[in-house]
Amino acid sequence: MNDVQKITDQIVTHDLTKVYRTFQKEAGFKGSIQSLIRRQTVEKTAIRKFDLSIDKGEFVGLIGPNGAGKTTLIKMLTGIIHPTEGEVTVFGFTPYQLKDDFKKNFAVVMGQKSQLWWDLPAEDSFLLNKALYGIPDPEYRQSLGFFSELLGISGLVKIPVRNLSLGERMKMELVLALLHNPRVLFLDEPTIGMDAVAQKQIRQFLKEINEAKGVTIILTSHYMEDIKHLCKRTIVVRNGIKIYDGDLAALLDKYRNYRIISISFETAADLNIEMPVEWLEKGPYKAVFKVPKEEAKAVLYHIMANQEVEDIRIEDEDLGGVVEKIYTAEVR
């Protein structure tokens, strides 16, 4: 593959920066008059010198605390807002130029915003997008059949959207976004508010289209289970800065400092552990404690050598606590 083709198969940013400028005023009539004479400008840097390279077909998780700059980054990648500084190309296009050919190459699905017509069946929204994107009839029928079979929604497309469950509506949103076969799909909290079954179905569908159709997917989510099950690569953003870009498993292992161990005993046990542990439950027949992961093996060996053990369960540190550590870690 030559260099020109490689560029068109990537999403690339270099020193991408977005600064929002807003005005503020003191409360009351006096503040209003003063703001007419001398306006106070406040600048906030949402994204700062952001370098990024994503290849075609990757499934990338974009995580960070609220206000980190994730949505601003997505908006610049889709051309909704213009960067203040830096460069950005998405499969060879400059997003903020908003060329029609570029618009046909991406789709956006947001868990809290719907593109479906509320009072009409989803099929009507599908037909509208078919006309907007100029999708040929054979391609439209093939794509709709493929997605409907994967999601099991064939019997739901003629039902008004307002009568569908949250999970069913999100399935329709995904179909609507994918009908024109975009090369890249941007997802913002697609499983928010769903039950465990619906979340699993959506994850399986996204994994399938990523593998079967080679769609590049960028997923932002506060549900770390989404990221964990779908994304091999994770980008962590905080205060507009990229603080991590790499393998999710390696990131979690770096910040998981403890193991949680639950032990049941056949007979009453008198535990006397000199090693550093944090007791969560301590009784004669059951003990639960947290121990530094490098000490876990030695602690278990000590207990099993001195007690009649019935059952042992070892768990990793809670995922939510690990994510909190990641978000508050010092930027290197």
Side-chain angles (χ1 to χ4, degrees), residues 246-301:
D247 181 69
L248 177 62
L251 176 65
L252 294 177
D253 187 63
K254 177 181 178 181
Y255 286 95
R256 273 181 167 145
N257 301 321
Y258 297 94
R259 297 284 188 265
I260 298 175
I261 300 176
S262 301
I263 303 180
S264 300
F265 303 102
E266 294 181 359
T267 58
D270 182 18
L271 293 178
N272 182 19
I273 301 175
E274 296 179 358
M275 301 174 191
V277 300
E278 179 183 338
W279 295 103
L280 304 177
E281 179 182 343
K282 188 177 182 181
Y285 293 97
K286 183 179 180 181
V288 182
F289 55 90
K290 187 163 69 173
V291 60
K293 61 182 180 182
E294 62 273 10
E295 302 288 345
K297 184 176 180 180
V299 171
L300 283 173
Y301 179 82

Side-chain angles (χ1 to χ4, degrees), residues 23 36 50 52 73 90 101 108 115 133 136 168 178 221 228 231 259 278 280 307 331:
F23 299 101
L36 290 174
F50 206 97
L52 179 66
L73 179 60
V90 177
D101 286 343
V108 183
Q115 302 179 78
Y133 286 97
E168 291 167 345
L178 292 165
S221 179
K228 180 180 176 182
C231 307
R259 297 284 188 265
E278 179 183 338
L280 304 177
Q307 306 293 337
V331 178

Side-chain angles (χ1 to χ4, degrees), residues 6 44 77 96-97 106 118 131 136 151 175 180-181 187 212 228 256 263 285 290 310-313 329-330:
K6 184 177 182 181
K44 179 182 178 182
L77 293 177
Y96 54 82
Q97 293 177 350
F106 77 91
W118 184 252
L151 288 169
V175 173
H180 64 285
N181 288 317
L187 298 171
K228 180 180 176 182
R256 273 181 167 145
I263 303 180
Y285 293 97
K290 187 163 69 173
E310 182 179 53
D311 184 49
I312 296 177
R313 185 171 73 250
E330 291 294 327

Side-chain angles (χ1 to χ4, degrees), residues 28-43:
F29 179 73
K30 181 180 178 180
S32 298
I33 297 299
Q34 288 177 338
S35 70
L36 290 174
I37 300 170
R38 183 179 299 170
R39 306 185 77 179
Q40 295 183 5
T41 304
V42 178
E43 292 188 351

Side-chain angles (χ1 to χ4, degrees), residues 212-223:
K213 289 185 170 286
V215 179
T216 304
I217 301 178
I218 300 177
L219 167 66
T220 69
S221 179
H222 288 296
Y223 288 139

